[in-house]
Each structure stands twice: as structure tokens, then as C-alpha cells.
Amino acid sequence: MTEPGVQYSKPLPAMRDLTAQFYDWCRQRELRFQCCTACGAWRHVPREACAQCGSQEWEWARSGCRGRLFTWTVVARAMHPAFQDDVPYAAAVIEMDEGVRLVSRIVDCPPEELEVDMPVEVVFEAVTPEVTLPMSRRVRS
Ligand SMILES: [Zn+2]
């Protein structure tokens, strides 16, 4: 959570169309992905048609928020001044249990401790009153 009174200065998602709907669910602390109501395939990032069957019938289905670390890159040099105090950090791709992949950030684990297939869960961080981002933390067994 950003400290009260501190302006959030990092880039924010473009809040329009289906992307805005995705982040509206995040603001309600629910991770939802599109699920095709014709064939049952999950998809992310948001788009109009199913890549499996072509249907444009779908719903926002709730994710269990669990997945595994699919891959990551360690950002050692900030490419935007607002990230200067965060480096080094891991920008990650999470393979969710539903099968979709989510770009996220690992918030509780130093980059050198990351492992492929590490169990993670999505947690929410309200960075502005309008925008809540899905972050990830490791799940310890
Ligand atoms: Zn489909």
C-alpha cells in the first residue's frame, strides 16, 4: 500500500475497455479472467474472442489466485525514475492454476531466491484510489 499523502508516480495501466473491467475486479480484490462460455477456455490478457473456438461469448470467472512462477527477469537498472528505489526487483510471469499467464511482480522474495515452478499467490496492492494492481508472493508449504 502506498503511504497516505505520497503521490504514486509509477506508470498505471490504461483503464479502458476490457482492461478497465479487469482492473475494476482487482479493485474489489477479486482476480477474474475471461472464461469462454462456449468451450470453457480461460484467457488473459483481455480480448473479445476465444482463441480456442472463436466464440465471443464469455464471462469474468473468478480465479483461485494461485499459480506457479513460470519465468522472470531481474530489473537491476530502473528504466523509469519512479522505480529507482525498487531495484533490483523481479518482473515475473505467473502461470495461474487456471492456465492463463499473468505478468506480475514478486513482492516478498529477493530475486536470488526465486525458483522456476515456485508456488505463488496473487495479492492486491491499491496504488491509487482507482487502481489496484495484482502482485504476487511466494506460498510457503
Ligand atoms: Zn472458446
Side-chain angles (χ1 to χ4, degrees), residues 35-41 43 49-55 57:
C35 188
C36 176
T37 53
C39 78
R43 65 181 185 261
C50 177
Q52 300 299 313
C53 76
S55 172
E57 302 298 318

Side-chain angles (χ1 to χ4, degrees), residues 73-90:
T73 187
V74 176
V75 179
R77 180 178 168 201
M79 300 302 284
H80 184 288
F83 291 90
Q84 190 61 49
D85 293 339
D86 297 345
V87 293
Y89 66 89

